[in-house]
Amino acid sequence: MATTSATTFSIGSTVSFGSRGNPLPQSKPFVARFTSPNSLASFSGLKAATYVNCESESSFFGKESSAALRGSFVPKAQKANQKSQNGLQPVASYKFAILGAAGGIGQPLALLIKMSPLVSALNLYDIANVKGVAADLSHCNTPSQVQDFTGASELGNCLKGVNVVVIPAGVPRKPGMTRDDLFNINANIVKTLVEAVADNCPDAFIHIISNPVNSTVPIAAEVLKQKGVYDPKKLFGVTTLDVVRANTFVAQKKNLKLIDVDVPVVGGHAGITILPLLSKTKPSVNFTNEEVEQLTVRIQNAGTEVVEAKAGAGSATLSMAYAAARFVESSLRALDGDGDVYECSFVQSDLTDLPFFASRIKLGRKGIEALIPSDLSGLSEYEEKALEALKPELKASIEKGIAFVQKQPVTA
């Protein structure tokens, strides 16, 4: 499995560990073994071995990078050992629900969540075809117990006592469709599902994947407000795919090791509202004006690139599930007490004059602990202009979502 910032390196089906690297295609197996399950609040398996071993012959891993990995992870393993000896080993204790689990994103996402050692219960909901997905996943020898729930009559039971909810439900983009074209269908789906979340697990972290995220997150916020349970620290629009793509494309363009690359992406999650801050790329790298424009446009239009490549057979489902799994893992790590969890997400924000904005955030046990304003300081001239240019479109999308709920009050 490829690695990502705050996601995993895996060993076969037995163990993985969290890394703050980035998506890493591997041509040959990468092996890593950890001392304690506590070092792995991440996607993978059941056992933790008693040593750290880093082996790789992939195109991105040579002797130099393997040595760097050892240097990075051995101290974590030793620290994990100390926690283990003090009786602080984590247990699978979080209940998780995926609403839209039988879809193109929901199925691979469910598989990735099933691999998490922190999840005790994995509830899968959809309007049809979810029973087979649950049966299939239930055969995987990982800790979480899988249950299926079909149709509106079973939605409440799916959500009872859940700690984390992910909503990928809705129709996918098709050739020629914009995210705005999806609004009329997906807006009502998200509204209905979030009403059920408010009624059954109002304290849960809520992750919105359903597009258009620029509108569906404000829809969710308005529903929760009308239900009297809105906590802006626990509502997230999952924009991680923009970061994953930015990291990948920059690494390819500049021949960098993917594990090292981190590009913050701000704004929103559609077209020109997606703004990769290439001037903030880590490690520091120089781009020509032409490269900045080419990379920015490709990152903004990457979803269309996939839709067209699939020629009507779907949208970006696998990469979206992968990116969502990364954000989910970060949420689980934060819930489990990790004090060093940062991701980009579309959230209620005061960093600009817009009520919602995607930026880097710090996650903690109670949700968002802080917005990170430093990414918006010292922008390049290109980024400053792009930031101002995206605001009218993003503002309109936000207002469209809010208006949708205000015209259709939630069910009491």
Side-chain angles (χ1 to χ4, degrees), residues 327-342:
F327 192 85
V328 163
E329 182 201 9
S330 293
S331 294
L332 290 169
R333 288 171 50 216
L335 282 168
D336 202 49
D338 189 331
D340 187 33
V341 182
Y342 295 83

Side-chain angles (χ1 to χ4, degrees), residues 202-242:
D203 294 326
F205 282 19
I206 306 171
H207 302 67
I208 305 291
I209 295 173
S210 307
N211 277 316
V213 166
N214 292 353
S215 297
T216 54
V217 171
I219 286 171
E222 286 301 304
V223 169
L224 295 167
K225 287 176 185 177
Q226 291 190 20
K227 289 282 190 177
V229 294
Y230 180 48
D231 184 348
K233 296 179 180 179
K234 294 182 178 181
L235 177 62
F236 310 93
V238 181
T239 61
T240 319
L241 182 53
D242 299 325

Side-chain angles (χ1 to χ4, degrees), residues 20 27 51 69 90 231 244 260 395:
R20 299 206 56 194
S27 57
Y51 62 97
L69 282 169
D231 184 348
V244 166
D260 296 331
K395 181 173 184 286

Side-chain angles (χ1 to χ4, degrees), residues 127 167-174 177-193 210-212 215-216 219 400 404 408:
I127 57 174
I167 305 179
V171 299
R173 290 177 67 196
K174 297 178 182 178
M177 290 180 69
T178 66
R179 283 183 171 83
D180 202 49
D181 293 330
L182 302 177
F183 180 86
N184 289 332
I185 300 172
N186 288 353
N188 198 58
I189 292 172
V190 170
K191 175 178 176 289
T192 301
L193 294 176
S210 307
N211 277 316
S215 297
T216 54
I219 286 171
K400 187 173 183 178
F404 176 81
Q408 302 182 46

Side-chain angles (χ1 to χ4, degrees), residues 98 190 310 314:
I98 300 177
V190 170
K310 289 190 175 182

Side-chain angles (χ1 to χ4, degrees), residues 46-344:
L46 296 172
K47 299 179 182 177
T50 56
Y51 62 97
V52 174
N53 182 21
C54 299
E55 304 168 6
S56 172
E57 298 176 358
S58 77
S59 58
F60 284 86
F61 277 89
K63 292 181 180 179
E64 178 184 340
S65 52
S66 292
L69 282 169
R70 288 190 192 94
S72 171
F73 293 116
V74 169
K76 292 183 180 180
Q78 292 171 340
K79 185 177 180 181
N81 242 354
Q82 294 173 354
K83 290 183 178 181
S84 175
Q85 292 168 2
N86 292 329
L88 298 178
Q89 294 185 21
V91 294
S93 56
Y94 298 104
K95 292 187 67 175
F96 204 97
I98 300 177
L99 309 184
I105 296 170
Q107 289 196 44
L109 178 57
L111 175 60
L112 293 172
I113 303 305
K114 181 72 173 80
M115 296 167 71
S116 171
L118 290 175
V119 176
S120 60
L122 178 56
N123 293 352
L124 306 181
Y125 171 84
D126 216 314
I127 57 174
N129 304 321
V130 73
K131 189 173 291 293
V133 177
D136 197 357
L137 278 181
S138 70
H139 295 178
C140 299
N141 62 326
T142 58
S144 54
Q145 299 298 307
V146 181
Q147 288 186 282
D148 62 275
F149 302 84
T150 301
S153 63
E154 297 184 8
L155 180 56
N157 287 335
C158 173
L159 292 168
K160 292 291 185 188
V162 164
N163 303 109
V164 180
V165 179
V166 180
I167 305 179
V171 299
R173 290 177 67 196
K174 297 178 182 178
M177 290 180 69
T178 66
R179 283 183 171 83
D180 202 49
D181 293 330
L182 302 177
F183 180 86
N184 289 332
I185 300 172
N186 288 353
N188 198 58
I189 292 172
V190 170
K191 175 178 176 289
T192 301
L193 294 176
V194 175
E195 286 179 13
V197 171
D199 291 338
N200 294 282
C201 54
D203 294 326
F205 282 19
I206 306 171
H207 302 67
I208 305 291
I209 295 173
S210 307
N211 277 316
V213 166
N214 292 353
S215 297
T216 54
V217 171
I219 286 171
E222 286 301 304
V223 169
L224 295 167
K225 287 176 185 177
Q226 291 190 20
K227 289 282 190 177
V229 294
Y230 180 48
D231 184 348
K233 296 179 180 179
K234 294 182 178 181
L235 177 62
F236 310 93
V238 181
T239 61
T240 319
L241 182 53
D242 299 325
V243 178
V244 166
R245 286 166 167 162
N247 292 345
T248 301
F249 299 163
V250 166
Q252 291 171 344
K253 187 77 171 178
K254 291 298 186 178
N255 196 27
L256 300 172
K257 295 171 185 172
L258 271 163
I259 193 171
D260 296 331
V261 179
D262 184 25
V263 182
V265 181
V266 302
H269 186 55
I272 67 164
T273 70
I274 300 168
L275 178 56
L277 300 180
L278 297 173
S279 69
K280 304 287 185 176
T281 298
K282 294 180 181 178
S284 181
V285 60
N286 293 322
F287 298 96
T288 65
N289 291 340
E290 184 180 12
E291 286 174 331
V292 168
E293 185 167 0
Q294 288 176 345
L295 282 166
T296 299
V297 170
R298 188 182 178 199
I299 293 162
Q300 290 173 339
N301 295 325
T304 301
E305 183 178 312
V306 175
V307 169
E308 292 176 350
K310 289 190 175 182
S315 58
T317 53
L318 299 177
S319 54
M320 182 64 248
Y322 172 77
R326 161 177 160 167
F327 192 85
V328 163
E329 182 201 9
S330 293
S331 294
L332 290 169
R333 288 171 50 216
L335 282 168
D336 202 49
D338 189 331
D340 187 33
V341 182
Y342 295 83
E343 288 286 356
C344 288

